[in-house]
Each structure stands twice: as structure tokens, then as C-alpha cells.
Amino acid sequence: MSNGLPTLAGNGVILRQLGADDIQRLFEIFSDPEVMRYWSRGPFVDLSEARALLGEIDKGWREDGFYQWGVTIAATGELMGTTTLFRIDRDHRRAEIGFALGSRWWGQGWGTATVARIVTYAFQALGLHRLEADVDPRNAASLRVLEQLGFRREGLLRARYHVAGEIQDSVLLGLLSAEWAPP
Ligand SMILES: CC(C)(COP(=O)(O)OP(=O)(O)OC[C@H]1O[C@@H](n2cnc3c(N)ncnc32)[C@H](O)[C@@H]1OP(=O)(O)O)[C@@H](O)C(=O)NCCC(=O)NCCS
């Protein structure tokens, strides 16, 4: 069933709607402790959590504040992870972004390609003028992806998350549409 999320192609990736056929792969990605090291929740332990994620994604689209795409390699169709625009605020024309790829696809430029594509969609198609990301200061790969695309560090939010017994700080980064220069 289509929830109406647009398919976005560019930079060698295709961002597309997720479906029931993707549950096993989603579980594989989100149950990996390496991928979830700096996430705002612990790793999935049961396939039902991947199923529930799909339900949340459909609900998010209907309520117009939360868009989560599957990230695939354009050449092969392989699903590598997901990327999200959430807390989409039409009045203030801003949103937050998130992204996660399975660890076997790291270090090949896919993270940067994915974030570049979603940023272009947010600014050009949705007409937003500000994007935000909030990242654990130890999450060097995510900070690198964002900063090399022009996001600037705007503040350190102390003890913002409590995940699996660990209190985590958070760096808030922002990018304005006027600053956006697609790679
Ligand atoms: C963040 C993430 C998507 C990056 O994906 P990726 O495909 O490896 O990113 P890229 O290959 O585009 O790499 C981007 C840059 O980060 C650098 N980088 C990658 N891993 C790094 C690390 N562990 N430490 C420092 N820099 C790193 C790369 O060298 C590259 O920089 P360069 O262009 O100067 O060489 C991936 O690490 C991930 O899914 N992490 C887990 C989920 C997560 O934490 N999401 C963010 C929550 S806010």
C-alpha cells in the first residue's frame, strides 16, 4: 500500500517508501549495536520492533510531521538504511533530519549522498528554510557528514538523552536554505 511518500533519486541513491518486504532488512540494520551506538533508543531485539517501525512510518506520513524513507543503492536496489525528516514545522519552515545505514555500507560516501538528497528535497520541494540535526558529540561520522554538507554547530545540549543507562549529551547543528550548496 502506498502512503504517498515521494521517491527521490540522486547522488547514486534512491530514497523510497518502505514496505512489508523490508522488515527483515530493517531489523538487521536497527538491531546492530554499532549502528545504534548513538541512537536515541537501544538496538531492536525482536522482529516485531521492525514491524512496529513500519506502522509508525505510515502514521507519521498521514499526520504530516514525520517522513521516513528507505535508502537504496540506485544501481542495485539494495536497501542500506533509512533517512527521516521529522518535526516538520510548516509555520516556521523548519524540520529535523535523521539517518542510519547498515554498518556494512559505511565509509563509501552513501551517508553523505543520502543526507544531500534529503536536504535538497526539504529546501526545494517542501520550501523549508532551516534544518536541524542533533548528534552525540562522540558520533564523529555523523558530525563529519553534516559539517561537510554545511551544517554548523549551534550549541551543546547537556545530558539530553538517557539510553540504556547512559546519559548522553547532544550537539545541535543547523543549516539554512540560503547556505545550501549541493555537492
Ligand atoms: C552516519 C553514517 C550514516 C555515515 O555513513 P557513511 O556512509 O559511512 O558516511 P560517508 O561514507 O559519506 O562518510 C562521510 C565522512 O565521514 C567520515 N567518517 C566516516 N566514519 C567516520 C568515523 N568513524 N570517524 C570519523 N570520520 C568518519 C568519512 O571519512 C567521510 O569523510 P571524508 O569525506 O572527509 O572522507 C553512518 O555512520 C551511520 O549510519 N551511523 C549510525 C547511525 C547514526 O549514528 N546516525 C546519526 C544519528 S544523529
Side-chain angles (χ1 to χ4, degrees):
M1 194 180 75
S2 168
N3 66 11
L5 201 60
T7 298
L8 308 177
N11 309 317
V13 294
I14 294 178
L15 312 188
R16 63 152 173 85
Q17 185 184 335
L18 290 158
D21 290 348
D22 300 315
I23 288 172
Q24 186 61 45
R25 175 60 60 81
L26 289 174
F27 178 68
E28 185 192 311
I29 295 165
F30 287 98
S31 61
D32 179 350
E34 243 195 304
V35 173
M36 303 300 274
R37 177 66 186 93
Y38 302 116
W39 208 249
S40 52
R41 52 155 295 164
F44 288 3
V45 291
D46 194 278
L47 196 63
S48 63
E49 292 172 271
R51 224 173 273 124
L53 173 64
L54 265 190
E56 286 163 25
I57 291 170
D58 275 344
K59 183 164 169 278
W61 171 260
R62 285 196 306 275
E63 293 173 3
D64 195 35
F66 182 96
Y67 302 173
Q68 188 164 2
W69 287 264
V71 179
T72 64
I73 299 174
T76 62
E78 203 174 1
L79 179 66
M80 298 184 282
T82 76
T83 188
T84 312
L85 278 177
F86 60 107
R87 299 203 184 103
I88 300 170
D89 185 326
R90 305 269 177 183
D91 293 337
H92 301 289
R93 292 170 51 209
R94 65 167 136 71
E96 297 185 33
I97 70 165
F99 43 88
L101 301 181
S103 50
R104 71 176 124 132
W105 293 282
W106 291 358
Q108 301 167 60
W110 296 123
T112 304
T114 298
V115 177
R117 188 62 191 89
I118 198 174
V119 167
T120 294
Y121 174 74
F123 288 148
Q124 292 180 1
L126 296 184
L128 303 184
H129 78 147
R130 175 181 163 82
L131 289 171
E132 297 174 359
D134 106 55
V135 178
D136 188 300
R138 299 166 297 178
N139 191 348
S142 292
L143 289 170
R144 179 85 187 119
V145 166
L146 291 164
E147 290 186 302
Q148 74 180 358
L149 289 172
F151 280 79
R152 292 198 209 161
R153 295 187 197 215
E154 297 179 333
L156 176 72
L157 295 89
R158 295 167 303 146
R160 186 145 193 258
Y161 292 102
H162 185 188
V163 182
E166 185 185 67
I167 305 279
Q168 301 175 348
D169 292 343
S170 182
V171 179
L172 185 69
L173 300 102
L175 176 69
L176 305 185
S177 57
E179 297 163 346
W180 176 230

